[in-house]
Amino acid sequence: MSVVIELNDVWYSYEKEKLVLQGVSLQLKQGEFVAIIGGNGSGKTTLAKHCNGLYKPTQGTVKVNGLDTKTMSVAQLSRIVAYCYQNPDHQIFHSTIKAEVAFGPKNMGWPPEKIEQAVAEALAAVGLSDKGDEEPHFSSKGTRQKIAVASILAMKPQVIVLDEPTTGLDYRGMQEMMELVRHLHAEGHTIIVITHDMRLVAEYAQRVIVMHKGKLLCDGDPVHVFSQTQVLAAAQVEAPAIYRFGKAAGIDDPIPLTLTAMKKQVLGEGI
Amino acid sequence: MKTEPLLRVNGVYWHYEEGAQSALADIHLALYPGEVVGVVGPAAAGKTTLLLTMSGLIPANYGGHFVGSVESNGEQGIVFQDPETQFIGLTVEEELAFSLENAGWSDERIEKRMAEVLDLIGLNSFANRSPLELSGGEKQRVAIASALSHSPQVLILDEPTSELDPVGAREVFSLLSRLKREKEMTIVVSSHATEELAAFCDRMILIAEGKIVLDQPTRQFFDQVDVLDEHGILVPDVIRLYHMLCQQGVLSASTAGVPLTVEELALYYKEARLVREGSL
Amino acid sequence: MKNAHPSYTLLVFVLLGLLPFLFQDPRALIVLLAINIALIAKLGWERSMIKAYILVGGIGSCFAVITWLPFTNVGTPYWSSTIPLIHYPVQITDVGVLWALGMGLRLANVALLSMYYVFTTSPREIAMGLRGIGVPFSISYLLSLIFRFIPLVKNDLAIIREAQMVRGMSTSEGNVPERIRKYSYLLVPLIFNSLKRVQLIANALDAKGFRMRNSQHRFYRSKRWKKAEVFTLVAGVCIVSALFYIARLHPDHIGVLIPGRI
Amino acid sequence: MDSTFSSRKATKTKTLVINALFIAFTLAATMFINLRLPIMGNGGLIHLGNVPLLIAAFVYGRKTGAIAGAFGMGLFDLISGWTAWAPFTFVIVGAMGYVAGLIAEKVPGNRVFVYALAVAAALVIKIVGYYFVEVILYGNWIQPFGSIPGNVLQVVVAAVIVIPLVGRLKKIVGQG
Ligand SMILES: Nc1ncnc2c1ncn2[C@@H]1O[C@H](COP(=O)(O)OP(=O)(O)OP(=O)(O)O)[C@@H](O)[C@H]1O
Ligand SMILES: Nc1ncnc2c1ncn2[C@@H]1O[C@H](COP(=O)(O)OP(=O)(O)OP(=O)(O)O)[C@@H](O)[C@H]1O
Ligand SMILES: [Mg+2]
Ligand SMILES: [Mg+2]
């Protein structure tokens, strides 16, 4: 698998004294499904914004497909790495959902037929094909979140970064959103999700990155990461309930992280 | 506990001026001193609307059509989802003093009350910091303290942890637990995080399309997996696992009801294993 | 000034702000500017203020100099001409040069004082200060709310701008009409987000007992007037009045170039 | 106590907060979003402060429009050193907001036309108002003409941005 994004000793600060990223090195490969977790203010959003050139490191390099982000504009990079904001209301401004989704492709200077097709595909992917002419501001939060995803999908990016895509959604909305993300992953997109919901991490991610105070504390598959009790405690996160149950009930390693895996394990144990 | 209710909602209907249909319909409920009540429901079910009604902000602050009545024997403090926006003061101290200033308290009384409240939330050293510089969990704790500063009888919280990291959320819930334990505070909290509510609340309310569907003690409430599923409510994994294990005969249904925390389920599980091993 | 009565601080800055309007002569105004800079340096600069001051105050002053330069018809002309069509004389005279410089310095002075006051006084202190001189609570509170909103608006704008950049829009490119159109893209999300906030803030205020006309409201730790402050203010008013008399009403004007002009 | 009643739309507190918000918008747009053009008058400043002012007037009506204009731009003048203008700005721009809001509220007919009319009225107030103020401040009759192009441009730019959006903003506001 080829490396899509490579961070090499990245440092960053908004203001002089306060270092928000402190020497982060990291490689993200084509087709991965990565979750970034960590406490409030640990630098997750800042890290993610380095991947599409919105922020350029004060020290170190970020390479996307082998090219240094310092040499490219955000507009160029956003064709490769798309970033979906935490709050969809920060980006929606057109009067119809279709126009909103077409905004990105239009900026790319694509011909009209290509734009139309991209918009249709993106709307189909998020399940809003029949709502193209509605006013986006009047739809529910879940739908607005999907519009935001569609509007970056239409630019056909290789990598999709989603910053807390399920915050404020109810359980159904959250499941729909995550199934959409899983579907995008299956279609070949590289996915980076920032989230505080460990159930989702356990359920969907292949790789977990733990951030703490601007440093990368731990990087590995979910089973490995969630077994690092001390690291998690330091990073202000905690393992999903199923894992904690397994630990408390004395279930053998590796302790499963999801309901289905736990069920299998317990029944397999055949008490 | 069954004394006079602190708050009673009698047959409330509420229709927002701009709303397509009633946001609340035929709501009856009574809140007794010391109760901790969780409110869950799918998106747009009317959770926020219900809490605003209990706090008196509906109908006072909104346009719309209101039927019924809310009787209250005391004051309410309310905390909203996004802590940043609800801060009025520029320092923690200003924030806590705001409601007391509006009530015209003297400096000595304000000072005394502020010290108490800061002590309660465990942020003594933060009095002169800007609330915007704190971590997510600390911000929300300040917001809670600010709602508590005029000593309300009922504390109402609307999704207080939805933007926090797991530890921040835990901080908030452990503060709420302290309030419940030490101050016997009456608390109403809405959330999508049912796992946290299950561990914390005495009583749960399920609201859907503006109507109360379930209003029961927590254990009974979470036993109704079918109803919760039907309304798209996340049944905590612990409870799902418990039901699965019971079905498979790994556990036998407990007389105490469904387990509400990881620890409870682990205990059941270990007991069942002991029984098994003993009988072998 | 930290422990002063907020109304005292407010009034001191009002008095200081009146001084530049007493003089027209750049020589008097530059002395005043030097005094003000020294005073503010003693009170302590803020880094962010210096930048804003140079931008707003500096550019304002330069334009003041340029706009005023050709329109003074008093004094000995160095250069003169007429505006075609209307045949209105424009000229650069010795008095005109001084006048234009004076107006630029006047702006520089006032901008310095007012910006310093706003940057170093918290909205709460401004509200307390206004309350102390009899401004109704609702208006003084309105002012402190405004300053509460500005950082929120700035922050929202920054995020919205970024959110559009990541969809391939660049705000710096394009001609003026295009850039104007891009501003309208910022507006919709900005207003949508802010309005959501409005209801929340109104709820938070009301839930904490805020009322527009609240006679029992009193600021916590509000200060009492000190004798020295009252004395300084009275003295200040006397000095400003005396200077006004000397500079403006007395026949031997000090620092006045053209009598009868502000 | 059983009651049935319909409550008013905006409470006093909410109105206060909306006013504060639009003053903040106006102030921020005047201070932070400006194109500086080499045109005489008003320091050649083409700021976008009229945008929130017009939005306030069209969407929330004359009162909010007047308050946003008077306080927002008045405060800007106060802070930025054009202090001598501040009291006049308070009145002139306040009147602009009020009249624009009044026309938008009261005049029936095609909306775009009405808004354009309202902007035109506001523009007249601005030009005439500032002309006479500057005659006093500058001490001559010609120099104040220098700021007319800037004033016109500011208002026209704001109108170009605002008028197409008013309908949508009104709907969004109704929802919130
Ligand atoms: N625009 C900014 N200006 C100054 N400081 C900032 C800015 N954005 C973020 N920071 C600071 O940088 C640090 C990291 O912020 P970041 O948003 O990356 O955290 P995060 O991990 O995404 O947090 P959260 O979980 O709350 O979203 C924080 O301490 C924050 O206060
Ligand atoms: N200010 C308002 N004006 C008009 N309708 C409103 C308003 N606020 C809420 N509603 C409507 O009332 C209903 C109940 O909304 P409410 O916000 O109480 O739901 P909720 O359960 O809190 O949802 P969420 O999980 O999204 O927070 C929804 O249909 C919503 O669209
Ligand atoms: Mg973040
Ligand atoms: Mg809600």
Side-chain angles (χ1 to χ4, degrees):
Chain A
M1 277 190 294
S2 59
V3 173
V4 195
I5 298 175
E6 185 177 1
L7 282 81
N8 206 337
D9 190 31
V10 169
W11 294 70
Y12 186 79
S13 58
Y14 292 93
E15 288 136 25
K16 273 258 156 46
E17 304 82 34
K18 211 173 129 215
L19 292 165
V20 176
L21 293 182
Q22 309 189 36
V24 177
S25 296
L26 176 69
Q27 286 189 339
L28 298 174
K29 297 194 188 71
Q30 172 68 40
E32 278 189 313
F33 193 131
V34 185
I36 306 183
I37 63 176
N40 291 118
S42 57
K44 303 181 295 294
T45 298
T46 312
L47 176 70
K49 285 182 179 172
H50 273 82
C51 297
N52 66 351
L54 217 42
Y55 298 159
K56 317 269 161 138
T58 33
Q59 191 185 317
T61 52
V62 179
K63 284 183 180 165
V64 173
N65 281 343
L67 296 168
D68 194 331
T69 56
K70 278 186 183 145
T71 63
M72 294 155 81
S73 71
V74 178
Q76 283 172 319
L77 276 163
S78 57
R79 300 169 193 220
I80 309 171
V81 184
Y83 182 90
C84 193
Y85 277 78
Q86 193 165 339
N87 178 357
D89 301 336
H90 277 133
Q91 51 175 287
I92 295 175
F93 59 96
H94 282 99
S95 53
T96 66
I97 295 178
K98 243 188 207 155
E100 184 62 34
V101 176
F103 179 70
K106 268 189 191 149
N107 284 326
M108 311 264 112
W110 292 353
E113 313 82 60
K114 192 173 170 193
I115 294 178
E116 203 155 305
Q117 200 196 342
V119 171
E121 282 172 15
L123 284 177
V126 299
L128 293 178
S129 296
D130 51 340
K131 295 195 172 165
D133 296 318
E134 287 180 16
E135 157 79 74
H137 288 105
F138 300 164
S139 39
S140 70
K141 167 107 193 217
T143 308
R144 294 205 299 279
Q145 206 105 35
K146 285 184 196 160
I147 296 167
V149 174
S151 72
I152 59 164
L153 264 187
M155 306 194 306
K156 304 208 177 295
Q158 203 176 335
V159 184
I160 299 174
V161 185
L162 299 130
D163 200 343
E164 305 194 24
T166 60
T167 299
L169 299 188
D170 66 349
Y171 181 52
R172 265 191 202 141
M174 183 174 92
Q175 268 185 317
E176 279 176 25
M177 178 53 67
M178 289 315 290
E179 286 308 320
L180 165 61
V181 175
R182 177 178 270 169
H183 170 76
L184 295 174
H185 179 241
E187 296 217 310
H189 293 282
T190 306
I191 305 286
I192 303 172
V193 176
I194 300 176
T195 182
H196 290 308
D197 189 336
M198 298 306 137
R199 260 186 85 257
L200 297 185
V201 176
E203 189 87 28
Y204 294 91
Q206 297 169 340
R207 177 177 169 192
V208 183
I209 291 170
V210 186
M211 292 289 296
H212 180 54
K213 293 194 172 156
K215 294 200 177 106
L216 201 156
L217 216 54
C218 188
D219 179 358
D221 64 60
V223 175
H224 168 73
V225 169
F226 284 126
S227 66
Q228 312 277 309
T229 321
Q230 277 163 351
V231 172
L232 295 186
Q236 310 249 307
V237 288
E238 67 180 6
I242 294 289
Y243 179 91
R244 284 182 282 132
F245 160 73
K247 192 113 183 157
I251 285 171
D252 297 331
D253 277 335
I255 303 172
L257 299 172
T258 61
L259 199 56
T260 26
M262 179 58 86
K263 189 178 161 196
K264 241 186 240 160
Q265 171 109 352
V266 172
L267 296 180
E269 234 177 50
I271 316 172
Chain B
M1 187 157 129
K2 296 295 167 202
T3 47
E4 271 297 290
L6 267 178
L7 193 87
R8 193 191 274 282
V9 181
N10 301 319
V12 163
Y13 287 80
W14 169 252
H15 195 137
Y16 284 105
E17 201 160 56
E18 312 280 343
Q21 71 242 8
S22 299
L24 293 180
D26 197 23
I27 303 285
H28 287 272
L29 66 92
L31 196 62
Y32 291 92
E35 267 191 314
V36 174
V37 181
V39 178
V40 296
K47 299 181 291 299
T48 303
T49 311
L50 177 63
L51 300 196
L52 289 171
T53 306
M54 292 170 91
S55 74
L57 289 166
I58 283 180
N61 264 20
Y62 287 80
H65 188 64
F66 185 87
V67 180
S69 68
V70 178
E71 290 165 41
S72 131
N73 295 317
E75 284 183 67
Q76 296 89 38
I78 185 163
V79 178
F80 303 96
Q81 177 176 5
D82 170 11
E84 295 237 335
T85 309
Q86 54 191 298
F87 288 136
I88 295 154
L90 290 181
T91 65
V92 171
E93 213 172 52
E94 278 178 27
E95 179 61 31
L96 299 186
F98 183 74
S99 62
L100 308 179
E101 289 180 332
N102 284 327
W105 284 29
S106 68
D107 276 13
E108 301 81 63
R109 277 181 80 197
I110 292 187
E111 209 135 313
K112 187 154 162 281
R113 180 66 193 153
M114 245 165 22
E116 277 171 25
V117 175
L118 279 171
D119 214 40
L120 201 60
I121 57 167
L123 295 178
N124 282 315
S125 56
F126 286 62
N128 293 314
R129 297 264 297 272
S130 157
L132 301 179
E133 287 170 5
L134 307 180
S135 80
E138 288 163 353
K139 272 182 199 153
Q140 197 56 285
R141 273 151 67 198
V142 171
I144 292 174
S146 159
L148 285 176
S149 63
H150 65 285
S151 314
Q153 275 81 12
V154 183
L155 181 62
I156 298 171
L157 305 103
D158 190 15
E159 302 194 35
T161 60
S162 68
E163 316 211 324
L164 305 185
D165 60 42
V167 170
R170 170 148 301 196
E171 273 176 16
V172 168
F173 270 101
S174 71
L175 170 60
L176 293 179
S177 305
R178 270 234 326 280
L179 292 173
K180 166 182 169 180
R181 219 175 37 241
E182 291 172 11
K183 306 276 160 191
E184 291 177 1
M185 193 86 210
T186 310
I187 300 173
V188 182
V189 51
S190 84
S191 178
H192 291 297
T194 44
E195 194 187 306
E196 284 154 344
L197 291 183
F200 173 64
C201 296
D202 307 327
R203 172 178 156 198
M204 294 289 302
I205 292 174
L206 168 61
I207 182 168
E209 292 172 352
K211 297 189 184 69
I212 292 182
V213 179
L214 284 179
D215 178 356
Q216 289 175 336
T218 309
R219 252 179 241 284
Q220 258 165 282
F221 180 90
F222 280 110
D223 209 8
Q224 323 232 15
V225 175
D226 297 341
V227 184
L228 299 181
D229 276 341
E230 187 195 328
H231 290 94
I233 305 300
L234 170 64
V235 177
D237 278 347
V238 168
I239 292 164
R240 274 239 199 273
L241 186 62
Y242 169 77
H243 283 295
M244 270 180 190
L245 296 180
C246 286
Q247 250 171 26
Q248 301 290 336
V250 177
L251 293 178
S252 46
S254 163
T255 47
V258 293
L260 296 175
T261 61
V262 165
E263 290 72 27
E264 276 181 16
L265 180 61
L267 208 66
Y268 285 4
Y269 183 80
K270 282 195 272 191
E271 274 169 11
R273 186 148 62 183
L274 281 181
V275 170
R276 279 251 156 187
E277 280 163 4
S279 70
L280 277 175
Chain C
M1 304 290 260
K2 273 280 161 281
N3 291 314
H5 191 287
S7 302
Y8 170 74
T9 319
L10 178 66
L11 291 174
V12 164
F13 274 90
V14 169
L15 284 179
L16 285 174
L18 285 176
L19 285 179
F21 291 97
L22 298 182
F23 309 105
Q24 297 166 350
D25 192 320
R27 287 161 292 207
L29 285 160
I30 205 146
V31 173
L32 202 54
L33 185 64
I35 295 174
N36 283 333
I37 287 177
L39 176 73
I40 280 167
K42 190 165 166 281
L43 294 174
W45 291 92
E46 280 203 15
R47 189 195 293 271
S48 53
M49 180 198 149
I50 299 178
K51 249 172 50 192
Y53 176 60
I54 290 172
L55 201 76
V56 178
I59 292 182
S61 311
C62 292
F63 274 102
V65 173
I66 296 168
T67 4
W68 258 295
L69 201 51
F71 288 103
T72 311
N73 303 328
V74 185
T76 329
Y78 296 130
W79 168 88
S80 60
S81 172
T82 53
I83 299 177
L85 294 176
I86 55 170
H87 305 291
Y88 188 86
V90 284
Q91 51 193 187
I92 295 179
T93 68
D94 52 353
V95 175
V97 170
L98 290 179
W99 174 267
L101 282 176
M103 292 303 106
L105 280 167
R106 191 185 266 180
L107 268 172
N109 258 313
V110 179
L112 178 71
L113 292 168
S114 47
M115 285 176 78
Y116 181 80
Y117 180 73
V118 171
F119 270 72
T120 56
T121 314
S122 77
R124 180 188 165 85
E125 286 167 327
I126 297 179
M128 284 167 96
L130 289 168
R131 187 89 190 282
I133 55 173
V135 176
F137 176 57
S138 54
I139 292 189
S140 56
Y141 196 75
L142 176 75
L143 285 169
S144 65
L145 259 186
I146 298 167
F147 291 101
R148 173 76 185 79
F149 268 122
I150 285 182
L152 289 174
V153 170
K154 265 180 80 177
N155 191 29
D156 270 357
L157 266 180
I159 298 179
I160 293 166
R161 214 177 278 228
E162 271 184 13
Q164 291 170 2
M165 273 165 73
V166 302
R167 288 199 286 159
M169 188 179 96
S170 64
T171 32
S172 53
E173 281 168 27
N175 49 17
V176 172
E178 219 165 281
R179 264 157 64 191
I180 289 170
R181 202 164 44 95
K182 282 172 186 167
Y183 281 121
S184 73
Y185 291 160
L186 300 176
L187 274 179
V188 176
L190 180 67
I191 289 181
F192 187 64
N193 271 297
S194 305
L195 288 180
K196 281 188 166 168
R197 225 173 246 150
V198 164
Q199 182 70 59
L200 199 64
I201 295 182
N203 281 346
L205 284 168
D206 276 330
K208 288 171 191 161
F210 174 82
R211 266 164 296 138
M212 288 282 268
R213 282 182 199 30
N214 185 351
S215 53
Q216 62 176 356
H217 176 280
R218 55 177 302 282
F219 282 110
Y220 162 62
R221 281 195 195 146
S222 40
K223 307 230 167 53
R224 294 223 170 86
W225 284 95
K226 292 189 205 82
K227 282 215 180 75
E229 289 169 351
V230 178
F231 177 77
T232 316
L233 275 180
V234 172
V237 172
C238 294
I239 293 172
V240 173
S241 314
L243 279 173
F244 179 73
Y245 176 75
I246 295 171
R248 288 309 180 95
L249 299 180
H250 198 270
D252 312 317
H253 314 288
I254 294 178
V256 172
L257 299 168
I258 310 170
R261 280 212 199 166
I262 292 170
Chain D
M1 177 201 75
D2 212 48
S3 60
T4 302
F5 69 93
S6 302
S7 50
R8 287 161 295 117
K9 171 81 183 151
T11 61
K12 279 184 181 155
T13 312
K14 191 174 172 189
T15 311
L16 178 84
V17 179
I18 288 174
N19 288 343
L21 176 71
F22 275 91
I23 297 169
F25 276 154
T26 309
L27 188 58
T30 317
M31 298 225 287
F32 304 119
I33 315 180
N34 41 43
L35 317 162
R36 287 174 201 283
L37 298 185
I39 296 176
M40 295 260 203
N42 283 5
L45 197 71
I46 300 297
H47 60 68
L48 294 185
N50 291 299
V51 169
L53 162 71
L54 291 178
I55 292 177
F58 292 161
V59 176
Y60 286 100
R62 56 207 151 147
K63 263 197 181 158
T64 306
I67 292 175
F71 281 95
M73 293 220 200
L75 276 174
F76 172 75
D77 279 358
L78 212 56
I79 293 171
S80 64
W82 300 90
T83 313
W85 274 254
F88 305 108
T89 297
F90 192 85
V91 175
I92 295 172
V93 184
M96 281 172 68
Y98 190 86
V99 169
L102 186 69
I103 292 176
E105 275 172 54
K106 293 283 151 78
V107 178
N110 178 304
R111 287 286 91 187
V112 173
F113 176 73
V114 173
Y115 293 141
L117 182 72
V119 171
L123 186 57
V124 171
I125 295 176
K126 183 163 196 159
I127 291 173
V128 175
Y130 275 107
Y131 179 78
F132 284 105
V133 168
E134 293 184 351
V135 166
I136 299 170
L137 290 171
Y138 290 142
N140 82 57
W141 295 93
I142 293 299
Q143 189 184 354
F145 282 113
S147 31
I148 290 178
N151 285 340
V152 173
L153 204 58
Q154 271 166 15
V155 175
V156 170
V157 164
V160 168
I161 293 178
V162 171
I163 291 178
L165 288 179
V166 180
R168 286 190 61 211
L169 290 177
K170 267 193 146 157
K171 266 199 232 148
I172 290 174
V173 167
Q175 283 277 315

